[in-house]
Amino acid sequence: MRTSNFLIATQKETPADAEVISHQLMLRAGLIRKLASGLYTWLPLGLRVLRKVENIVREEMDGAGAQEVSMPVVQPAELWEESGRWEQYGPELLRIHDRHERDFCLGPTHEEVITDLIRNEIKSYKQLPINMYQIQTKVRDEIRPRFGIMRSREFLMKDAYSFHVDQPSLEDTYQVMHQAYSAIFTRLGLDFRPVIADTGSIGGSASHEFHVLANSGEDDIAFSDSSDYAANVEMAEAVAPAGDRPAPAAELTEVATPGVKTIEDLCTFLEIEANTSVKTLVVHGEEEGQLVALVLRGDHQLNGIKVEKLSGIASPLCMADEEAVRAACGAGFGSLGPVGMNIDVIVDRSAAALADFSCGANKDGFHFTGANWERDCPLGRVEDLREVVEGDPSPDGQGTLQIKRGIEVGHIFQLGTKYSDAMKAQVLDDTGRNVTMTMGCYGIGVSRVVASAIEQNHDDKGIIWPAAMAPFQLAIVPLNMQKSEEVAACAEELYATLKAQGVDVLMDDRNERPGVKFADMELIGIPHRIVIGDRALKEGNIEYKGRRDDDSQLIPREQIVEFITAQLTG
Amino acid sequence: MRTSNFLIATQKETPADAEVISHQLMLRAGLIRKLASGLYTWLPLGLRVLRKVENIVREEMDGAGAQEVSMPVVQPAELWEESGRWEQYGPELLRIHDRHERDFCLGPTHEEVITDLIRNEIKSYKQLPINMYQIQTKVRDEIRPRFGIMRSREFLMKDAYSFHVDQPSLEDTYQVMHQAYSAIFTRLGLDFRPVIADTGSIGGSASHEFHVLANSGEDDIAFSDSSDYAANVEMAEAVAPAGDRPAPAAELTEVATPGVKTIEDLCTFLEIEANTSVKTLVVHGEEEGQLVALVLRGDHQLNGIKVEKLSGIASPLCMADEEAVRAACGAGFGSLGPVGMNIDVIVDRSAAALADFSCGANKDGFHFTGANWERDCPLGRVEDLREVVEGDPSPDGQGTLQIKRGIEVGHIFQLGTKYSDAMKAQVLDDTGRNVTMTMGCYGIGVSRVVASAIEQNHDDKGIIWPAAMAPFQLAIVPLNMQKSEEVAACAEELYATLKAQGVDVLMDDRNERPGVKFADMELIGIPHRIVIGDRALKEGNIEYKGRRDDDSQLIPREQIVEFITAQLTG
């Protein structure tokens, strides 16, 4: 391709309304343009990247035995009423009606449509398992679209749905999809983690999110430094500290702590570290009026998702108000503790491992120091109540946890029978009985992958594309091509030779200053660049620079094709 | 691909609500399934065909220098208000609003979006011409969707838009697109005609439709049997008959014709042929109250589109009512004629070539025979007023016209400045002045191409795909594969060999009766089929049958790969 016949729409200024770097660079490099809030046009340069991602996704899905279909964007309300989601789904579901005033929606997802298709087409267990996918424009009416295509109202998704006669078959396909996703993100050249995810209210049996690690991510990912364990921080198990709890060494001592309300206050007042104290929070129990005290180490944070799943705890999680707490425990927030606590107590694993700790005395303005489990208060129920922190042991027993931010680009989910039950999607099993099909679903945010790759790969000059996603592999930049016949001839010859070898090459034949061309090629992130200039050419040389290199190097003209081929395959 | 891992969803019964053969066969062959009125899911088999069409379109558009972009389906109302189409467009434009009650529509076309993009990105004539295209899902809220994907509410379109500094540049690109479209439909293996089309109310300067010829088409196409002239019947010029008008031979004679109202009545009454008579129709002229008589040969039909474009005629065309005609001409419908006519007369070219013709006498219940121009009545204004008929000379002077029905699958259009004027899309020209860009637009109904190919290529067994569109090039049908090791081994070996050679082969490894497999492979229209059976194999033979062949032939096993390769490349 030549820049003279390819829209290079780079911009110098950083757009004012672009908050994240990928949004800024996608606009500045001319990959996308905003049409309206959350609606973007993909320009030729951006579309080349999007198509490369799309093709890799398609190849790996096909290779994993999935079959491609294409379902309508516009979906009839009736199916969503059947599944119950016409009522349940929030205003992100863009509901419309046609000229006959019939209700439809623009599909953010296709569980209903595919379940309807499969229940009509598949009659026997012999036709299962089946895994259908599409790569399609999705619409979600975001209340506040932002971050460019990262959270837009129209976006490109790969969504797949599998159907099974039983759970073991679902688990097999789930594993195949897990591997396919790993293969996709590996081929794309991204630093990613498949993380254990919350199955949420759908209550399926297993779910993994695939996250691209990047500082701008919206999720905290905990992962082992020595194994492939990774989980959303919300989901990562905080294991009990190794070793036995030390024996009590200090006396239980009541201390007046006027004005002390928080753990920070207490640490300052007592001149202690937070990890030698515990804090006590009170939540509603499952029964009407029942309160439960949760005890965590002073430096740890409660993980509401974990607590909500515990037996005996109200769901959704509800913190008790101070009046109720004072009535039940004899003291307000800031002075609570396990010693002499009148209500049920659940202790976090790390708090349970402490000896000689400080805690509230259940008397306003007083704390204990030197408290010990069993000696001063019973250690009854111990659970995992807290969020993991960096340095925690990995729950799989290998290494310690690191925490980084991640951008969710994929999600695989064992749905179970949520939709097939509601929509009566059944097949005959091998004994001739009707059984409800078990389902899995598997999504990749194709357009989001493009943004996440930029979040992970950029510098102050612009984008640095991973090889598989780059709109072009190589840029040829001839200097003063319009004036120097030698430069023009050399550039044209190289362009023709490399193109014939199948190299995706961009020839910058614009009549622009060298500085403008260099800046553009760096901004749009082409991995390899050769510069053809009169001076070097006279000495038989051509200049090469990799996008991540600090300096360029001179390559003898007769070796340049071989050299480039080596760079591209290396 | 193996049928055991590929959804073959054939149906025996013809669906009751499918009126046209392509709709019936697309359902029966399992290419599509209806989700709701006008909304279809493409099953894996259908999607393979659609993607093949899409890829050929993309390759030819790229080859013609067009650049691919992707614009949103959801479009803001503001742009449509700017162009004036928010008001003008009918209810086919599906108007929606988002959660903030802002107006949007689902794009049936993208003139506004692309014009907005280009006016922001392109500033100088040096960046022109530019031609941008996309292959994208379009939505049109048809009042009565029918014929399956032929007239559906969601469909796949290739739409392209070109921008130019002047008309000559537009004409160049228009020619390039004309050639690209011809290349596309030729590669697809379709019998098509580029036909001169009506530019309608947009009033651009030129337009061609690309029609696939098929009996079920909705348009009549007139085309020369000896040249590439083709036009929509509405647009085809009816040229004057060759040679001079014969000299008058008969006397003008008034004949009482009681009860004669139509040309058929007259021909029966006088025992003459319709082509020796003329009929006279009366329409409103441009001025208030003015009437104009139109005289055509008795066997010809008025072409309203041609008449409406004539000077002096009211637009839209409006037939006069009988009371007004009687007041002006002295007689009612059925007794009008050019002899003694009181109002302005325009004569069709063919009627003007008649001598000794019959016509109404402008007196109820009377006609003339032996009437002649100039002698009995003046021959003033002569125009092309009629629809062409088969056997008419071709307007390009080469051959005679044939008329067939066609399905419109493509349309190219010189838009001019309709949108760029309304939306102020300007560039600086080479003298530094602001000029409004001139536009062209170029559409292909990608999903419609699939249906039109079936309309043109089918028999009573099912679809007969042109090679380039076939979902698979070749089917391997092993008989009793589950029982015969030899058959299975031979089939597997052939499958592996042909796949390795890049042949798109479908291996029918289902455990079904031979009759079921044969019928399915014929119904889904795979161009080539080989059958591997125990009996023939024992004699060293494999059976081959082309989809259009009446009989199968036996090919020696060791020659089969070579034979198939020859069939595929032939």
Side-chain angles (χ1 to χ4, degrees):
Chain A
M1 192 61 71
R2 296 165 184 275
T3 51
S4 52
N5 188 35
F6 190 84
L7 184 65
I8 299 293
T10 51
Q11 296 175 337
K12 281 218 183 85
E13 258 99 84
T14 299
D17 62 340
E19 299 170 55
V20 296
I21 193 74
S22 61
H23 188 193
Q24 293 168 10
L25 286 175
M26 289 186 80
L27 289 169
R28 284 191 53 213
L31 303 181
I32 57 169
R33 284 296 180 261
K34 181 172 156 178
L35 171 63
S37 172
L39 298 174
Y40 290 87
T41 290
W42 288 80
L43 298 184
L45 192 70
L47 192 61
R48 284 182 78 94
V49 179
L50 191 67
R51 290 267 185 264
K52 292 198 174 187
V53 177
E54 187 182 329
N55 285 339
I56 288 176
V57 171
R58 180 173 287 117
E59 283 174 20
E60 295 295 333
M61 290 301 292
D62 288 343
Q67 300 183 45
E68 190 174 0
V69 295
S70 176
M71 296 179 265
V73 175
V74 177
Q75 304 181 12
E78 288 75 15
L79 290 180
W80 288 70
E81 281 160 0
E82 230 186 304
S83 75
R85 287 208 290 184
W86 190 255
E87 294 301 321
Q88 290 157 21
Y89 220 102
E92 295 81 33
L93 184 66
L94 216 169
R95 293 163 172 89
I96 65 175
H97 47 261
D98 71 2
R99 62 198 288 167
H100 307 297
E101 296 297 327
R102 280 187 296 244
D103 286 324
F104 291 85
C105 64
L106 301 185
T109 178
H110 279 69
E111 280 84 2
E112 283 82 0
V113 176
I114 192 78
T115 304
D116 179 57
L117 178 75
I118 294 293
R119 71 178 167 182
N120 291 327
E121 298 300 324
I122 303 293
K123 300 298 176 195
S124 158
Y125 75 99
K126 290 182 192 166
Q127 296 169 279
L128 298 181
I130 195 164
N131 189 1
M132 303 288 231
Y133 78 98
Q134 60 177 352
I135 298 177
Q136 193 212 32
T137 299
K138 295 279 189 286
V139 178
R140 187 160 53 201
D141 197 0
E142 292 282 352
I143 188 161
R144 195 180 146 231
R146 56 194 164 139
F147 306 151
I149 54 153
M150 195 85 92
R151 180 158 299 183
S152 57
R153 298 205 276 187
E154 221 182 287
F155 49 96
L156 193 66
M157 275 280 292
K158 187 282 297 173
D159 49 327
Y161 309 89
S162 68
F163 293 80
H164 310 269
V165 72
D166 56 23
Q167 175 70 16
S169 167
L170 168 60
E171 285 168 16
D172 286 348
T173 296
Y174 186 83
Q175 268 318 110
V176 169
M177 283 295 102
H178 193 293
Q179 286 158 18
Y181 274 42
S182 296
I184 287 166
F185 296 115
T186 301
R187 279 183 65 185
L188 289 170
L190 298 172
D191 184 10
F192 72 98
R193 293 288 186 288
V195 309
I196 301 162
D198 183 22
T199 51
S201 56
I202 305 184
S205 40
S207 171
H208 282 83
E209 291 168 0
F210 285 73
H211 282 261
V212 168
L213 300 183
N215 294 333
S216 58
E218 294 188 83
D219 292 287
D220 280 318
I221 308 303
F223 58 96
S224 166
D225 60 4
S226 329
S227 75
D228 60 4
Y229 175 84
N232 209 306
V233 158
E234 296 170 342
M235 287 294 292
E237 183 185 358
V239 296
D244 294 333
R245 184 172 66 237
E251 290 294 312
L252 182 71
T253 309
E254 189 177 278
V255 185
T257 50
V260 167
K261 288 284 175 197
T262 66
I263 288 291
E264 290 74 47
D265 295 345
L266 184 70
C267 292
T268 308
F269 188 89
L270 297 177
E271 296 183 348
I272 56 168
E273 294 298 318
N275 63 7
T276 66
S277 70
V278 303
K279 58 183 171 190
T280 304
L281 307 165
V282 183
V283 299
H284 285 269
E286 218 160 17
E287 283 162 37
E288 181 71 28
Q290 182 201 11
L291 296 180
V292 178
L294 307 175
V295 179
L296 291 95
R297 219 168 70 184
D299 58 332
H300 286 154
Q301 298 300 320
L302 187 76
N303 178 321
I305 288 174
K306 291 179 181 176
V307 173
E308 199 173 275
K309 288 182 181 163
L310 295 177
S311 64
I313 301 292
S315 174
L317 188 65
C318 181
M319 306 303 290
D321 68 44
E322 190 154 11
E323 282 315 294
V325 168
R326 193 180 303 277
C329 310
F333 297 154
S335 298
L336 301 174
V339 180
M341 174 57 74
N342 294 326
I343 58 174
D344 287 349
V345 175
I346 305 178
V347 182
D348 178 68
R349 291 165 174 175
S350 295
L354 291 179
D356 303 332
F357 56 85
S358 305
C359 60
N362 297 318
K363 194 160 83 176
D364 284 335
F366 288 88
H367 280 78
F368 287 119
T369 62
N372 280 279
W373 298 111
E374 307 293 4
R375 187 192 71 180
D376 306 320
C377 53
L379 177 59
R381 186 171 171 193
V382 176
E383 299 279 6
D384 174 15
L385 302 179
R386 71 171 173 95
E387 295 216 332
V388 293
V389 294
E390 279 212 321
D392 275 345
S394 177
D396 68 349
Q398 297 177 60
T400 57
L401 291 182
Q402 289 191 287
I403 295 181
K404 286 201 178 166
R405 299 192 77 81
I407 300 167
E408 186 190 333
V409 288
H411 196 168
I412 59 177
F413 207 107
Q414 296 185 18
L415 277 177
T417 57
K418 177 181 160 68
Y419 296 94
S420 44
D421 258 341
M423 298 179 66
K424 301 188 184 55
Q426 299 187 324
V427 285
L428 292 178
D429 71 6
D430 56 358
T431 67
R433 280 181 322 168
N434 267 318
V435 293
T436 299
M437 285 183 268
T438 297
M439 290 173 63
C441 71
Y442 318 94
I444 289 180
V446 178
S447 38
R448 192 172 239 240
V449 164
V450 176
S452 73
I454 297 174
E455 291 290 340
Q456 192 177 74
N457 300 279
H458 64 270
D459 61 15
D460 54 2
K461 292 176 196 148
I463 302 166
I464 309 174
W465 289 114
M469 300 174 66
F472 299 95
Q473 296 168 277
L474 170 76
I476 298 180
V477 183
L479 305 182
N480 286 313
M481 186 184 188
Q482 281 71 15
K483 286 182 193 156
S484 164
E485 272 179 38
E486 263 207 26
V487 166
C490 174
E492 292 291 353
E493 186 201 320
L494 251 179
Y495 178 60
T497 306
L498 290 168
K499 250 184 51 164
Q501 292 186 4
V503 178
D504 228 347
V505 49
L506 180 66
M507 164 87 124
D508 194 355
D509 58 356
R510 294 176 295 172
N511 192 7
E512 290 280 3
R513 286 182 298 111
V516 169
K517 292 185 176 191
F518 295 161
D520 275 354
M521 295 303 117
E522 284 174 330
L523 175 57
I524 68 181
I526 301 187
H528 306 276
R529 185 188 81 191
I530 56 182
V531 175
I532 302 173
D534 245 341
R535 209 177 319 165
L537 207 55
K538 283 215 172 71
E539 288 161 15
N541 288 327
I542 285 174
E543 195 185 304
Y544 166 83
K545 189 165 180 287
R547 178 62 182 82
R548 288 184 189 273
D549 297 348
D550 288 328
D551 298 304
S552 60
Q553 47 186 311
L554 289 174
I555 309 295
R557 181 177 172 172
E558 63 276 12
Q559 291 170 23
I560 190 73
V561 172
E562 194 183 345
F563 177 84
I564 289 295
T565 309
Q567 296 296 315
L568 294 178
T569 53
Chain B
M1 192 63 71
R2 294 165 186 275
T3 50
S4 52
N5 189 34
F6 190 83
L7 185 65
I8 299 293
T10 51
Q11 296 175 337
K12 281 219 184 83
E13 259 97 86
T14 299
D17 62 341
E19 300 169 54
V20 295
I21 193 73
S22 61
H23 189 192
Q24 292 168 8
L25 287 174
M26 290 186 79
L27 289 169
R28 283 191 54 213
L31 304 181
I32 56 170
R33 283 295 179 264
K34 180 172 158 179
L35 172 62
S37 172
L39 298 173
Y40 291 87
T41 291
W42 289 79
L43 299 184
L45 192 69
L47 191 62
R48 284 180 79 92
V49 179
L50 191 68
R51 290 265 184 267
K52 290 196 177 188
V53 177
E54 185 182 329
N55 286 338
I56 287 176
V57 171
R58 179 173 287 117
E59 282 174 21
E60 294 296 331
M61 290 301 293
D62 288 343
Q67 301 184 45
E68 190 175 358
V69 295
S70 176
M71 296 179 265
V73 175
V74 178
Q75 304 182 12
E78 288 76 15
L79 290 181
W80 287 70
E81 281 159 0
E82 231 186 303
S83 75
R85 289 208 289 184
W86 190 255
E87 295 300 324
Q88 291 157 18
Y89 219 102
E92 294 80 34
L93 184 67
L94 216 170
R95 293 163 171 89
I96 64 174
H97 49 261
D98 71 0
R99 61 198 288 167
H100 306 297
E101 296 297 327
R102 280 187 296 245
D103 287 324
F104 292 85
C105 64
L106 301 185
T109 180
H110 279 70
E111 281 85 0
E112 283 82 359
V113 176
I114 193 77
T115 304
D116 178 58
L117 178 76
I118 294 294
R119 72 178 167 183
N120 291 328
E121 297 300 324
I122 303 293
K123 302 296 175 194
S124 160
Y125 74 99
K126 289 182 194 168
Q127 295 168 281
L128 298 180
I130 193 164
N131 189 1
M132 304 288 231
Y133 78 98
Q134 60 177 352
I135 299 177
Q136 194 213 31
T137 299
K138 295 280 189 285
V139 178
R140 185 159 53 201
D141 197 0
E142 292 283 352
I143 188 162
R144 194 179 149 234
R146 57 194 164 138
F147 306 151
I149 55 154
M150 195 85 90
R151 180 158 298 183
S152 57
R153 299 206 277 188
E154 222 181 287
F155 49 97
L156 193 66
M157 275 281 290
K158 187 284 296 174
D159 48 327
Y161 309 89
S162 69
F163 293 81
H164 309 269
V165 73
D166 56 21
Q167 177 69 17
S169 167
L170 168 60
E171 286 168 15
D172 286 347
T173 296
Y174 186 83
Q175 267 318 109
V176 170
M177 282 296 102
H178 193 293
Q179 286 157 19
Y181 274 43
S182 296
I184 288 167
F185 296 116
T186 301
R187 279 183 65 185
L188 289 171
L190 297 172
D191 183 10
F192 72 98
R193 293 289 185 288
V195 309
I196 300 162
D198 183 23
T199 51
S201 57
I202 303 183
S205 40
S207 172
H208 282 83
E209 291 168 359
F210 285 73
H211 282 260
V212 168
L213 300 183
N215 294 333
S216 58
E218 294 189 82
D219 291 287
D220 279 318
I221 308 303
F223 57 95
S224 166
D225 59 4
S226 326
S227 76
D228 61 2
Y229 175 85
N232 210 306
V233 158
E234 298 170 342
M235 288 293 293
E237 184 185 357
V239 296
D244 292 334
R245 186 172 66 236
E251 290 296 314
L252 181 70
T253 310
E254 190 178 276
V255 185
T257 50
V260 167
K261 288 286 174 195
T262 66
I263 288 291
E264 290 76 47
D265 295 345
L266 185 68
C267 292
T268 308
F269 188 88
L270 297 178
E271 296 182 349
I272 57 169
E273 294 297 318
N275 61 7
T276 65
S277 70
V278 302
K279 58 185 170 189
T280 303
L281 306 164
V282 182
V283 299
H284 284 270
E286 220 162 17
E287 282 162 39
E288 181 73 28
Q290 183 200 8
L291 295 181
V292 179
L294 307 175
V295 178
L296 291 96
R297 216 168 72 183
D299 59 331
H300 285 154
Q301 298 302 317
L302 187 76
N303 180 321
I305 289 174
K306 290 179 181 175
V307 173
E308 197 173 277
K309 287 181 181 162
L310 295 177
S311 64
I313 301 293
S315 174
L317 188 66
C318 181
M319 305 305 289
D321 66 44
E322 190 154 11
E323 282 316 295
V325 168
R326 194 180 302 278
C329 310
F333 296 154
S335 298
L336 301 175
V339 180
M341 175 58 74
N342 295 326
I343 58 175
D344 287 349
V345 175
I346 305 178
V347 182
D348 178 67
R349 292 166 173 173
S350 296
L354 291 181
D356 303 332
F357 56 84
S358 306
C359 61
N362 296 319
K363 192 158 85 173
D364 283 334
F366 288 88
H367 280 77
F368 287 118
T369 60
N372 279 280
W373 299 111
E374 306 295 3
R375 188 191 74 179
D376 306 320
C377 55
L379 177 60
R381 184 169 174 196
V382 176
E383 299 279 4
D384 174 15
L385 303 178
R386 69 170 173 97
E387 296 216 333
V388 292
V389 294
E390 278 211 325
D392 275 345
S394 178
D396 68 349
Q398 297 178 59
T400 56
L401 290 182
Q402 288 190 286
I403 295 182
K404 286 200 178 169
R405 299 191 76 82
I407 300 167
E408 185 190 334
V409 289
H411 197 171
I412 60 177
F413 208 107
Q414 295 186 18
L415 277 178
T417 57
K418 176 179 160 70
Y419 296 94
S420 45
D421 259 341
M423 297 180 68
K424 299 187 184 55
Q426 300 187 324
V427 286
L428 292 178
D429 71 7
D430 57 358
T431 67
R433 281 180 321 168
N434 266 319
V435 293
T436 299
M437 284 182 268
T438 297
M439 289 174 62
C441 72
Y442 318 94
I444 290 180
V446 178
S447 37
R448 192 170 239 242
V449 164
V450 176
S452 72
I454 297 173
E455 291 290 340
Q456 193 177 74
N457 300 278
H458 64 269
D459 61 15
D460 54 2
K461 292 176 197 149
I463 302 166
I464 308 174
W465 290 114
M469 300 174 67
F472 299 95
Q473 298 167 274
L474 171 76
I476 298 179
V477 183
L479 305 181
N480 286 314
M481 186 184 189
Q482 281 71 14
K483 287 182 190 155
S484 164
E485 271 180 40
E486 264 207 25
V487 166
C490 174
E492 292 292 352
E493 188 201 318
L494 252 179
Y495 177 61
T497 306
L498 291 167
K499 251 184 49 163
Q501 292 186 5
V503 179
D504 229 349
V505 48
L506 180 65
M507 164 86 127
D508 194 354
D509 59 355
R510 293 176 297 170
N511 190 8
E512 290 279 5
R513 284 181 300 112
V516 170
K517 291 185 176 190
F518 294 162
D520 276 355
M521 294 305 116
E522 284 175 331
L523 175 58
I524 68 182
I526 301 187
H528 306 276
R529 184 188 80 190
I530 56 183
V531 175
I532 303 174
D534 244 340
R535 209 177 319 164
L537 207 55
K538 282 213 173 75
E539 287 161 16
N541 288 326
I542 285 173
E543 195 185 304
Y544 167 83
K545 189 163 180 289
R547 179 62 181 81
R548 289 185 190 271
D549 298 346
D550 288 327
D551 298 304
S552 59
Q553 47 185 312
L554 289 175
I555 309 295
R557 181 177 171 171
E558 62 275 11
Q559 291 170 21
I560 189 74
V561 171
E562 196 184 342
F563 176 85
I564 289 296
T565 310
Q567 296 296 315
L568 294 179
T569 53

